[in-house]
Amino acid sequence: AQTVTQSQPEMSVQEAETVTLSCTYDTSESDYYLFWYKQPPSRQMILVIRQEAYKQQNATENRFSVNFQKAAKSFSLKISDSQLGDAAMYFCAYINDSGYALNFGKGTSLLVTP
Amino acid sequence: DTGVSQDPRHKITKRGQNVTFRCDPISEHNRLYWYRQTLGQGPEFLTYFQNEAQLEKSRLLSDRFSAERPKGSFSTLEIQRTEQGDSAMYLCASSLFSTGELFFGEGSRLTVL
């Protein structure tokens, strides 16, 4: 079974600074997809960024970028120029190419301080 | 496009009662998922529909849980004889592709007294 591990239960960052959230996963598959989802307090979960394992180039979406290290099975999320609205739970998730549902990590709670 | 909607948003019930949650996915999405989320945990997969067919069920889903998606549109999740351990947020999500973006609803929070 594939497992997703987020080793940081909580992280804190000052506004305008950069923070990196860690994620590692365990799989024997070669074709898979990785995701970061954001869950603001009392609001629905939304997709932040998606990475296809066959692509070596790291995905970026505006202030959000990933560091995808396939050999190390590591998929970290970097948030640049942090904003108060970035405060949320962040979940790393995995699905292989023949899978049917995402497998989520336990999440990292990000606090953004003024 | 109104997104994924779930009803009710909150449900408080007594142990032993039955509860039913409804999910209306994004209309063109043929895939629908139910997840359960407890405090401090990530979402755990419960079950998955492609159109009206229930294709996968987690071992977490005991016999007290049943889900349907008649006509491949909305879905219901019923929990019979609720237990305190069923207290959680029940999340519904829909998508076009299994490896694509999941669109989540705001969840239905269940409290079993």
Side-chain angles (χ1 to χ4, degrees):
Chain A
Q2 296 88 7
T3 57
V4 178
T5 302
Q6 294 181 249
S7 59
Q8 305 153 317
E10 294 180 351
M11 291 285 284
S12 181
V13 63
Q14 275 195 312
E15 217 174 347
E17 297 296 308
T18 295
V19 64
T20 298
L21 308 184
S22 301
C23 173
T24 58
Y25 56 95
D26 181 27
T27 185
S28 58
E29 303 287 336
S30 58
D31 293 328
Y32 51 87
Y33 302 79
L34 296 162
F35 303 78
W36 280 98
Y37 278 85
K38 171 185 178 183
Q39 188 177 38
S42 301
R43 298 187 63 184
Q44 71 256 57
M45 202 170 306
I46 57 172
L47 178 67
V48 175
I49 203 162
R50 174 178 179 268
Q51 175 80 42
E52 296 153 330
Y54 66 85
K55 288 187 176 179
Q56 292 191 348
Q57 187 173 6
N58 289 325
T60 63
E61 286 288 340
N62 301 313
R63 298 182 295 107
F64 298 87
S65 62
V66 297
N67 183 4
F68 173 47
Q69 300 289 327
K70 192 171 184 179
K73 297 180 184 176
S74 170
F75 183 61
S76 60
L77 175 69
K78 185 172 83 171
I79 306 174
S80 305
D81 185 26
S82 296
Q83 300 174 0
L84 294 176
D86 294 333
M89 285 292 293
Y90 286 82
F91 294 97
C92 180
Y94 164 101
I95 188 169
N96 66 41
D97 196 41
S98 57
Y100 49 84
L102 290 182
N103 187 14
F104 286 86
K106 290 188 175 183
T108 297
S109 177
L110 179 64
L111 175 66
V112 182
T113 57
Chain B
D1 185 351
T2 57
V4 178
S5 61
Q6 293 188 243
D7 183 71
R9 294 289 311 282
H10 299 96
K11 179 72 176 178
I12 300 174
T13 191
K14 293 182 178 178
R15 190 176 54 186
Q17 298 295 305
N18 299 343
V19 296
T20 299
F21 301 114
R22 176 182 169 121
C23 171
D24 287 89
I26 293 172
S27 57
E28 60 265 30
H29 287 180
N30 59 351
R31 287 173 163 81
L32 185 147
Y33 305 82
W34 286 98
Y35 283 84
R36 180 170 65 191
Q37 186 177 24
T38 53
L39 201 61
Q41 302 293 319
E44 296 174 300
F45 169 75
L46 292 179
T47 191
Y48 155 60
F49 290 85
Q50 188 166 331
N51 300 311
E52 67 275 10
Q54 188 175 20
L55 297 185
E56 289 291 339
K57 285 175 63 173
S58 166
R59 286 170 224 160
L60 294 174
L61 219 62
S62 76
D63 292 344
R64 297 183 297 105
F65 287 70
S66 62
E68 293 183 339
R69 192 183 181 195
K71 302 178 185 176
S73 55
F74 71 92
S75 176
T76 58
L77 176 69
E78 181 183 17
I79 309 174
Q80 296 182 326
R81 304 181 304 282
T82 52
E83 302 172 355
Q84 288 185 326
D86 297 331
S87 296
M89 178 74 84
Y90 290 85
L91 299 172
C92 178
S94 68
S95 71
L96 278 174
F97 308 103
S98 61
T99 57
E101 180 178 0
L102 277 186
F103 292 82
F104 283 86
E106 294 193 51
S108 293
R109 181 170 296 283
L110 174 64
T111 301
V112 182
L113 302 177

